[in-house]
């Protein structure tokens, strides 16, 4: 009798795993095909676009670029300077000092000659107390507004920025990310192309800046990361952005706009109550909420994905920090899925509920758990000497070749579209990484996801220390950065003096 | 937070779970001693000794079918992998070679075209250009270079000299029968090639294919339709904006911007946009109002006033904005009257418009807005409007600052701070 039950148990376990795997396998192939079509169409469509026409015309929507800063004293001056130099004619930059404990605020005040202004605003979205709003005495920086507030986290800082914003659209970014100078031009275009469906948000491709040459807050030379961990993340990001997200954008089922760069309709954000401070995955949660709001209000809408590299960011280079990041992503996903559980397979929400939410539920949250259980099951079979090795090796080969094939597909997409890595050596390095990834990287991501679930159950809600190497890690670079920063401050002072002497002149 | 990539390639190791499928089926005690690949493949089977077939040993026909499928998928994946790899390398080489060739030709054509425009011995140069521009690829590069050159000239040369150069380029274009290349493009089944054709014909003022371009105005493809509109604005001399009369699709802000650019940069004659303020297409009305604002067409005042009563709130909003921007003071009582029935965005636009055309008659109304409205933006805008009324406005604000009834100080300080606005 026991034997029959154990047979049934193993039959069910094996078949559930098999069906789920086939399902995932098929969905990825479908998404890749959709994204190939969408990418081709996007590239054709935009091959004729002259973005300078947006730059020159008086009809463009106004944008507030909001960048929360917490303990960013090392790079804040250059980062602000880069933000003030974006190509767009109608925007403001709002830096939110989120209760930094280092000299971030002081450095901004000194470098940009800030002084407190009597700024009247309303807490339309709840946020921690704003201690003061600062503007520069120097007219050259009139686009800049700095908010000093009590620490409340990234979401809270963004909410404070939205409260102060005077523009139609808000662009929420990470202050340590490097925006492409024309990022705003490219992101605003879908809002200008709006027809019967209101465009409520737009996101783009995030690229990895580790090992790239960066000067004055701009990418000067693009290089593939030297270390394995950042390099494997290049592959991961390429797959995610060019295969998966492109397809979800096409299907209007996109559930996530990266926190590193997203452009939103301000009024919709405010009506939805702004960013949630109760989750560590605020970037995903806000997209789900604004979509949900639009559906519930019966308003036609779309969230647009732009397959252009718009922002560069530094990814964790050590397993420890990467683990914390992935742990937080898992908790963020879980929090969002639980908060919006009503969406699950709910036809009322259309593709967004039935496809988008379910995809995240099965593929992003459940899959690593199933995978982990699979490992445990395999260990159990190993211990009980029950493994059918020939079949195991056959399946392993199958899995491996498929995984590498999909990665190669992503590399081809990158080559056909942006072609950012110019040398052939870098392409081969990427292919080599794809061969190693399934053995030396992926199992770790599963473990981090499991720990994320476990930490969620334990009630962990913190972000964790996300220490980065910084774009200027070595001593030479540090020295160079210090010199550059001093130059930046000097330049700012010179500009100010020039302005003042201009005022005095008859 | 950096993107939630979320292990999109999880597939790789999720599929590892695949490995677990049926691996239990071969428990030594249960496996029949003769279980070999034959049962799996349905063919004669070697024994499960030390040869490679041991890889495929399974214990029943169900798994056999599965293993067969897996082997096929593995082979397909490997094949795909090799094809993709070759594709990547070929594509890379092709792109690089094309880029180098294109750069070389662009440079060559640039110098030849420059000489063509400046020298008197055009026949020789024409021969040289014709000699290089033989294939479709080189002819395409030549057209691109003509376009580039014309664009750069329009920025650096006077209008007269620029026009003269354009005439010369057009002569060369026709002489080399490049117009036929462009016309061929607009008959292509591929929309992006058609767009290229539209652009080239518009740029070179070739009107021969206007009827074909006009057909694209009904296209459901937004880009094709937009490019056809833009081409006709340049090619239809009699009524360049006639397409607005029949436009049934939404006229997006992006399309509007492109049309505006044509008018502003390419020096096209500006029509009276009041003609389209009665269009049944609300996006066309909004565009017309925008253009009235940009080109300060004060004579359109009656039509703008009519638009203030338009059933669509977006049209009303645009009309309110235009009233302020071109200072239609006669609309002030009308705007005041509208205020109570409008939604927030339009109320804000009304107060903002009043700030653009300060009038003491509105002081009472604006004080009322400042006093009664709870919305911060409305309070700020009304205080700003009052502050723009000169001495009387400032005096009113000073009086309000002393008021004990409500704390206006912070609002007024905000409004008077020039660093903020």
């Amino acid at each position: 009798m026991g034997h029959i039950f154990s047979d049934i148990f193993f039959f069910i376990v094996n078949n559930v795993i098999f069906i789920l795997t086939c399902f995932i396998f098929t969905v990825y192939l479908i998404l890749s095909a959709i994204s190939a079509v969408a990418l081709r169409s996007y590239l054709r469509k935009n091959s004729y676009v002259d973005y300078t026409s947006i730059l020159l015309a008086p009809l463009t929507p106004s944008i507030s670029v909001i960048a929360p800063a917490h303990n960013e004293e090392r790079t804040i001056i250059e980062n602000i300077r880069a933000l003030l130099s974006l190509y767009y004619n109608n925007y403001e930059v709002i830096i939110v000092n989120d209760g930094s404990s280092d000299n971030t605020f002081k450095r901004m005040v000194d470098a940009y000659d800030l002084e407190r202004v009597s700024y009247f605003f309303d807490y339309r979205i709840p946020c921690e107390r704003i201690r003061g709003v600062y503007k520069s005495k120097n007219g050259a920086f009139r686009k800049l507004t700095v908010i000093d507030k009590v620490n409340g986290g990234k979401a809270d800082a963004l909410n404070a920025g939205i409260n102060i914003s005077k523009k139609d659209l808000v662009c929420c970014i990470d202050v340590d990310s490097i925006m492409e100078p024309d990022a705003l031009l490219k992101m605003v275009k879908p809002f200008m192309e709006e027809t019967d469906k209101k465009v409520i948000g737009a996101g783009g491709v995030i690229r990895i800046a580790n090992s790239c040459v960066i000067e004055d807050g701009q990418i000067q030379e693009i290089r593939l990361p030297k270390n394995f961990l950042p390099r494997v993340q290049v592959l991961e990001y390429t797959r995610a952005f060019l295969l998966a997200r492109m397809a979800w954008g096409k299907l209007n089922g996109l559930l996530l706009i990266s926190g590193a760069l997203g452009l939103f309709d301000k009024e919709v954000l405010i009506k939805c109550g702004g960013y949630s401070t109760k989750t560590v995955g605020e970037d995903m949660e806000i997209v789900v909420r604004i979509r949900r709001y639009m559906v519930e209000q019966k308003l036609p809408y779309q969230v647009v994905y732009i397959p252009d590299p718009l922002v560069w960011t530094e990814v964790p280079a050590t397993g420890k920090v990467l683990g914390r990041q992935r742990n937080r992503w898992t908790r963020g996903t879980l929090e969002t899925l639980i908060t919006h559980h009503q969406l699950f397979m709910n036809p009322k929400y259309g593709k967004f509920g039935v496809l988008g939410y379910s995809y995240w539920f099965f593929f992003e949250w459940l899959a690593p758990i199933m995978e982990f259980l699979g490992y445990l099951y395999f260990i159990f079979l190993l211990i009980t000497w029950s493994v059918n090795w020939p079949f195991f090796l056959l399946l392993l080969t199958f899995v491996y070749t498929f995984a590498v094939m999909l990665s190669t597909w992503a590399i081809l997409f990158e080559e056909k579209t942006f072609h950012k890595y110019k040398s052939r050596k870098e392409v081969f390095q990427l292919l080599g990484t794809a061969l190693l990834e399934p053995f030396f990287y992926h199992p770790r991501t599963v473990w981090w996801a499991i720990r994320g679930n476990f930490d969620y159950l334990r009630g962990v809600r913190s972000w964790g220390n996300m220490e980065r190497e910084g774009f200027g890690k070595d001593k030479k670079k540090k020295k160079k950065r210090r010199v550059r920063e001093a130059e930046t401050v000097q330049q700012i002072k010179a500009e100010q003096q020039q302005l003042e002497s201009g005022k005095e002149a008859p | 937070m950096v993107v939630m990539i979320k292990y999109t390639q999880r597939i790789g190791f999720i599929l590892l779970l695949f490995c677990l499928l049926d691996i239990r089926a071969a428990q030594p005690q249960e496996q029949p001693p003769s279980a070999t690949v034959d049962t799996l493949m349905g063919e004669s089977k070697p024994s499960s000794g030390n040869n490679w077939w041991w890889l495929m040993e399974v214990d029943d026909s169900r798994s056999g079918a599965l293993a067969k499928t897996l082997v096929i998928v593995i082979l397909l994946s490997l094949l795909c992998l090799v094809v993709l790899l070759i594709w990547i390398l070929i594509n890379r080489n092709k792109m690089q070679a094309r880029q180098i060739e294109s750069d070389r030709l662009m440079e060559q054509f640039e110098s030849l075209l420059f000489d063509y425009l400046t020298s008197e011995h055009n026949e020789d140069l024409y021969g040289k250009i014709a000699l290089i521009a033989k294939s479709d690829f080189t002819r395409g590069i030549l057209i691109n270079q003509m376009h580039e050159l014309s664009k750069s000239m329009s920025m650096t040369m006077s209008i007269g000299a620029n026009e003269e150069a354009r005439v010369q380029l057009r002569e060369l274009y026709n002489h080399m029968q490049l117009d036929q290349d462009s016309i061929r493009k607009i008959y292509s089944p591929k929309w992006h090639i058609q767009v290229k054709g539209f652009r080239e014909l518009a740029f070179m003022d070739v009107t021969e294919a206007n009827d074909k371009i006009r057909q694209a105005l009904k296209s459901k493809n937004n880009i094709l339709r937009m490019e056809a509109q833009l081409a006709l604005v340049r090619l239809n001399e009699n009524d360049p904006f006639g397409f607005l009369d029949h436009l049934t699709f939404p006229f997006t802000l992006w399309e509007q911007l492109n049309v505006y650019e044509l008018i502003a940069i390419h020096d096209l004659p500006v029509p009276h946009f009041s003609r389209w303020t009665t269009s049944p297409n609300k996006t066309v009305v909004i565009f017309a109002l925008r253009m009235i604002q940009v080109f300060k067409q004060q004579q359109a005042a009656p039509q703008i006033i009519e638009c203030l009563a338009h059933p669509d709130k977006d049209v009303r909003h645009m009309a309110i904005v235009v009233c302020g921007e071109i200072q239609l003071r006669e609309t002030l009582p009308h705007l005041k009257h509208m205020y109570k029935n409008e939604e927030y965005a339009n109320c804000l636009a009304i107060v903002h418009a009043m700030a653009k055309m300060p009038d003491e008659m509105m002081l009472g109304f604006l004080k009322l807005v400042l006093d009664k409205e709870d919305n911060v933006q409305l309070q700020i805008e009304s205080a700003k409007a009052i502050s723009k009324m000169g001495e009387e406005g400032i005096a009113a604000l000073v009086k309000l600052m002393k008021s004990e009834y409500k704390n206006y100080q912070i609002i007024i300080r905000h409004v008077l701070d020039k660093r903020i606005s």
Side-chain angles (χ1 to χ4, degrees):
Chain A
M1 192 65 177
H3 182 70
I4 293 170
F5 276 122
S6 77
D7 271 2
I8 292 171
F9 169 76
F10 286 118
F11 178 80
I12 290 172
V13 170
N14 286 337
N15 282 288
V16 163
I17 290 168
F18 177 68
I19 291 164
L20 182 70
T21 309
C22 285
F23 174 60
I24 291 170
F25 187 105
T26 315
V27 168
Y28 272 99
L29 284 178
I30 293 170
L31 286 180
S32 301
I34 294 172
S35 111
V37 174
L39 258 177
R40 196 176 68 155
S41 167
Y42 175 84
L43 291 172
R44 280 179 177 175
K45 179 180 162 190
N46 286 279
S47 59
Y48 303 104
V49 174
D50 180 7
Y51 287 99
T52 51
S53 53
I54 303 181
L55 207 56
L56 302 170
L59 315 178
T60 49
S62 57
I63 301 175
S64 293
V65 177
I66 304 174
H70 179 70
N71 294 348
E72 304 277 356
E73 65 172 0
R74 286 196 308 169
T75 53
I76 192 74
I77 307 299
E78 277 180 41
N79 289 340
I80 293 177
R81 197 160 182 82
L83 288 177
L84 291 172
S85 320
L86 294 173
Y87 302 157
Y88 200 71
N89 63 1
N90 192 1
Y91 81 107
E92 62 176 354
V93 176
I94 300 173
I95 306 292
V96 188
N97 176 45
D98 189 28
S100 296
S101 52
D102 64 358
N103 283 326
T104 304
F105 183 62
K106 189 176 177 305
R107 299 197 79 164
M108 286 194 282
V109 170
D110 291 345
Y112 292 98
D113 257 330
L114 301 175
E115 62 180 355
R116 193 174 171 153
V117 291
S118 308
Y119 204 103
F120 184 47
F121 63 94
D122 194 5
Y123 285 89
R124 291 180 79 187
I125 310 171
C127 67
E128 289 291 337
R129 188 172 64 83
I130 292 176
R131 289 191 284 237
V133 178
Y134 294 77
K135 296 285 290 183
S136 176
K137 286 181 222 166
N138 186 340
F141 305 123
R142 63 183 176 280
K143 274 190 283 193
L144 176 66
T145 304
V146 173
I147 302 172
D148 182 31
K149 69 177 274 292
V150 173
N151 180 262
K154 188 185 169 187
D156 193 71
L158 288 170
N159 288 341
I162 294 167
N163 283 330
I164 295 294
S165 160
K166 289 187 287 188
K167 310 290 185 185
D168 306 327
L169 305 173
V170 285
C171 178
C172 301
I173 65 159
D174 282 343
V175 76
D176 56 351
S177 298
I178 298 166
M179 270 172 93
E180 287 280 336
D182 59 356
L184 289 181
L185 296 174
K186 287 180 175 170
M187 289 183 86
V188 83
K189 188 169 168 263
F191 287 85
M192 299 179 77
E193 289 174 325
E194 178 181 291
T195 50
D196 48 339
K197 284 183 182 173
K198 187 175 179 63
V199 177
I200 57 169
V205 176
I206 315 292
R207 303 293 303 224
I208 291 172
N210 301 48
S211 299
C212 291
V213 179
I214 295 153
E215 272 172 32
D216 298 328
Q218 302 288 341
I219 300 277
Q220 301 297 330
E221 194 184 326
I222 297 164
R223 289 184 191 158
L224 192 67
K226 288 172 192 156
N227 298 333
F228 177 73
L229 269 185
R231 198 161 62 232
V232 80
Q233 289 174 80
V234 168
L235 207 58
E236 214 182 5
Y237 277 49
T238 309
R239 279 193 306 260
F241 284 104
L242 292 185
L243 294 186
R245 257 184 236 186
M246 185 72 226
W248 283 114
K250 176 82 181 164
L251 295 170
N252 197 15
L254 200 66
L255 249 60
L256 172 66
I257 288 176
S258 162
L261 180 67
L263 187 62
F264 298 95
D265 184 295
K266 188 176 84 180
E267 280 311 308
V268 174
L269 277 188
I270 290 172
K271 280 175 187 161
C272 292
Y275 281 88
S276 166
T277 51
K278 289 175 187 159
T279 174
V280 288
E282 77 293 327
D283 48 0
M284 179 180 175
E285 203 279 334
I286 191 68
V287 178
V288 174
R289 195 140 40 88
I290 57 174
R291 293 190 77 127
R292 201 174 157 184
Y293 168 82
M294 295 301 280
V295 174
E296 285 165 1
Q297 297 297 313
K298 296 190 171 67
L299 299 169
Y301 74 97
Q302 57 178 328
V303 175
V304 182
Y305 175 72
I306 304 150
D308 256 315
L310 301 177
V311 69
W312 295 78
T313 191
E314 187 199 358
V315 294
T318 64
K320 201 173 158 190
V321 181
L322 183 61
R324 279 191 213 128
Q325 185 196 51
R326 298 307 162 98
N327 179 316
R328 177 165 56 80
W329 287 4
T330 303
R331 283 184 282 129
T333 303
L334 193 51
E335 282 162 355
T336 305
L337 291 176
I338 290 171
T339 310
H340 299 280
H341 62 91
Q342 300 90 336
L343 300 176
F344 186 60
M345 294 284 185
N346 191 341
K348 179 185 162 190
Y349 295 95
K351 274 187 275 188
F352 157 54
V354 176
L355 294 180
Y357 185 97
S358 312
Y359 173 86
W360 277 81
F361 180 84
F362 288 113
F363 287 58
E364 305 296 347
W365 176 70
L366 190 63
I369 296 174
M370 291 297 287
E371 224 177 316
F372 186 70
L373 291 176
Y375 292 150
L376 294 181
Y377 178 60
F378 181 62
I379 292 167
F380 166 74
L381 294 179
L382 271 179
I383 292 166
T384 55
W385 290 91
S386 311
V387 181
N388 178 344
W389 286 105
F391 214 89
F392 169 76
L393 290 174
L394 184 70
L395 288 167
L396 183 66
T397 316
F398 162 68
V399 167
Y400 182 73
T401 48
F402 180 77
V404 177
M405 190 263 294
L406 206 68
S407 290
T408 317
W409 197 341
I411 296 170
L412 176 72
F413 273 35
E414 149 67 30
E415 281 287 301
K416 294 285 274 182
T417 52
F418 312 123
H419 193 58
K420 289 287 178 192
Y421 299 112
K422 300 290 177 199
S423 87
R424 193 179 292 181
K425 187 183 157 196
E426 286 176 322
V427 176
F428 280 114
Q429 276 180 330
L430 263 185
L431 287 166
T433 310
L435 295 174
L436 298 175
E437 184 194 4
F439 296 113
F440 299 105
Y441 179 69
H442 189 82
R444 297 175 80 181
T445 63
V446 173
W447 175 240
W448 292 326
I450 294 301
R451 286 193 63 172
N453 279 289
F454 183 67
D455 283 350
Y456 176 80
L457 294 175
R458 284 199 308 142
V460 177
R461 296 289 181 270
S462 71
W463 265 55
N465 184 11
M466 295 306 297
E467 193 185 312
R468 307 277 168 93
E469 287 195 340
F471 291 124
K473 186 192 171 190
D474 57 53
K475 279 184 184 173
K476 270 186 189 171
K477 280 185 183 169
K478 266 187 185 170
K479 196 177 168 190
K480 206 173 165 188
R481 198 190 65 229
R482 268 193 231 114
V483 171
R484 218 165 39 230
E485 213 172 282
E487 281 171 3
T488 308
V489 172
Q490 284 298 320
Q491 211 177 331
I492 293 165
K493 295 262 161 72
E495 276 171 20
Q496 192 185 0
Q497 276 171 5
Q498 214 176 349
L499 200 85
E500 276 166 8
S501 62
K503 268 184 198 167
E504 283 163 15
Chain B
M1 179 171 115
V2 184
V3 240
M4 300 279 290
I5 302 280
K6 289 303 180 185
Y7 341 128
T8 350
Q9 177 66 336
R10 176 157 295 139
I11 182 101
F13 263 78
I14 287 214
L15 286 176
L16 231 178
L17 300 177
F18 221 164
C19 305
L20 305 176
L21 179 72
D22 272 353
I23 54 180
R24 201 194 134 268
Q27 288 177 69
Q29 68 276 21
E30 291 174 10
Q31 191 172 352
S34 63
T36 58
V37 78
D38 275 2
T39 49
L40 175 73
M41 307 295 280
E43 296 163 6
S44 64
K45 48 191 175 184
S47 66
S48 56
N50 286 331
N51 64 40
W52 63 275
W53 281 110
W54 67 269
L55 263 174
M56 301 209 166
E57 283 188 357
V58 282
D59 66 342
D60 58 45
S61 59
R62 182 174 62 83
S63 299
L66 185 65
K68 243 197 252 182
T69 316
L70 285 179
V71 170
I72 292 168
V73 177
I74 289 170
L75 290 175
L76 281 176
S77 294
L78 281 172
L79 186 71
C80 265
L81 195 66
V82 174
V83 169
L84 288 172
L85 201 62
I86 294 169
W87 194 351
I88 289 171
L89 294 175
I90 291 177
N91 178 63
R92 225 182 149 74
N93 289 341
K94 205 170 124 187
M95 271 171 72
Q96 276 170 357
R98 211 178 161 84
Q99 190 60 50
I100 291 166
E101 179 63 2
S102 161
D103 290 348
R104 190 186 64 79
L105 284 168
M106 285 291 262
E107 207 174 307
Q108 211 171 351
F109 283 137
E110 185 183 16
S111 124
L112 285 169
L113 287 174
F114 191 75
D115 290 348
Y116 175 83
L117 294 175
T118 50
S119 124
E120 287 174 1
H121 307 290
N122 283 353
E123 281 306 311
D124 295 348
L125 285 163
Y126 165 73
K128 279 185 190 171
I129 294 170
L131 201 67
I132 303 168
K134 277 181 179 169
S135 68
D136 284 351
F137 176 68
T138 47
R139 288 167 76 86
I141 301 274
L142 177 59
I143 297 176
N144 288 348
Q145 187 54 62
M146 284 176 164
H147 200 168
E148 288 300 315
L149 198 65
S150 173
K151 259 205 295 193
S152 64
M153 282 188 312
S154 67
M155 287 177 197
T156 53
M157 290 163 72
S158 67
I159 294 173
N162 182 30
E163 192 48 44
E164 199 181 312
R166 271 175 60 81
V167 170
Q168 272 183 281
L169 283 177
R170 205 175 302 145
E171 273 171 15
L172 178 68
Y173 177 79
N174 292 331
H175 197 61
M176 291 197 65
Q177 295 187 323
L178 292 171
D179 55 338
Q180 293 310 310
D181 290 17
S182 302
I183 289 172
R184 228 180 4 254
K185 281 177 192 160
I186 70 166
Y187 284 95
S188 163
K190 293 177 182 169
W191 66 264
H192 65 286
I193 307 276
Q194 287 186 40
V195 168
K196 200 162 171 51
F198 290 170
R199 288 190 161 223
E200 287 170 8
L201 292 174
F203 166 65
M204 286 297 172
D205 296 331
V206 179
T207 54
E208 204 180 308
N210 276 10
D211 288 341
K212 172 68 184 163
I213 299 175
R214 227 170 259 126
Q215 283 173 21
L217 289 176
K218 290 171 192 162
S219 169
K220 283 183 182 170
N221 181 328
N222 293 341
I223 305 152
L224 194 64
R225 197 175 62 243
M226 183 184 90
E227 292 293 339
Q229 285 162 6
L230 293 176
L232 286 174
V233 170
R234 291 188 68 165
L235 296 174
N236 189 351
E237 281 179 5
N238 299 331
D239 191 10
F241 298 94
F243 73 93
L244 289 172
D245 294 334
H246 316 287
L247 198 65
T248 50
F249 293 98
F251 192 41
T252 65
L253 187 54
W254 178 247
E255 292 169 76
Q256 296 178 22
L257 184 140
N258 278 282
V259 172
Y260 163 77
E261 195 200 9
L262 271 185
I263 303 169
I265 296 173
H266 298 285
D267 230 19
L268 290 184
V270 182
H272 290 293
F273 284 100
S274 53
R275 173 180 155 190
W276 293 284
T277 52
T278 51
S279 166
N281 185 337
K282 79 165 193 176
T283 55
V284 171
V285 181
I286 290 173
F287 170 68
L289 288 168
R290 273 201 181 108
M291 293 299 107
I292 287 170
Q293 175 198 329
V294 171
F295 295 104
K296 307 268 181 231
Q297 296 185 336
Q298 297 267 4
Q299 70 276 22
Q303 287 83 0
I304 298 169
I305 292 168
E306 272 175 38
C307 287
L308 288 173
H310 199 278
D312 187 273
K313 66 177 169 51
D314 295 331
V315 174
R316 289 201 304 275
H317 181 88
M318 197 63 228
I320 295 164
V321 171
V322 177
C323 288
E325 292 296 328
I326 64 171
Q327 309 225 336
L328 289 182
R329 288 180 178 276
E330 64 266 39
T331 60
L332 278 170
H334 200 92
L335 293 177
K336 185 179 154 187
H337 181 72
M338 282 169 76
Y339 186 87
K340 61 177 184 292
N341 297 321
E342 287 293 343
E343 62 167 45
Y344 169 70
N346 285 6
C347 288
L348 195 63
I350 288 172
V351 180
H352 195 75
M354 286 180 175
K356 295 266 176 184
M357 34 187 178
D359 191 315
E360 287 158 16
M361 299 284 283
M362 293 296 126
L363 183 59
F365 169 74
L366 290 167
K367 276 163 82 174
L368 207 63
V369 172
L370 181 60
D371 188 36
K372 300 286 178 199
E373 291 287 358
D374 290 330
N375 183 283
V376 165
Q377 219 45 49
L378 279 172
Q379 289 176 336
I380 290 173
E381 285 301 329
S382 56
K384 215 180 265 180
I386 295 171
S387 76
K388 296 212 171 139
M389 282 175 191
E391 279 176 22
E392 196 177 337
I394 298 290
L397 287 180
V398 170
K399 203 174 163 188
L400 281 169
M401 275 176 96
K402 290 173 188 161
S403 163
E404 285 173 8
Y405 167 64
K406 195 173 174 177
N407 186 7
Y408 292 106
Q409 287 201 11
I410 188 163
I411 307 172
I412 295 167
R413 262 197 249 121
H414 174 111
V415 167
L416 296 179
D417 195 328
K418 284 182 180 155
R419 291 163 302 179
I420 297 174
S421 48

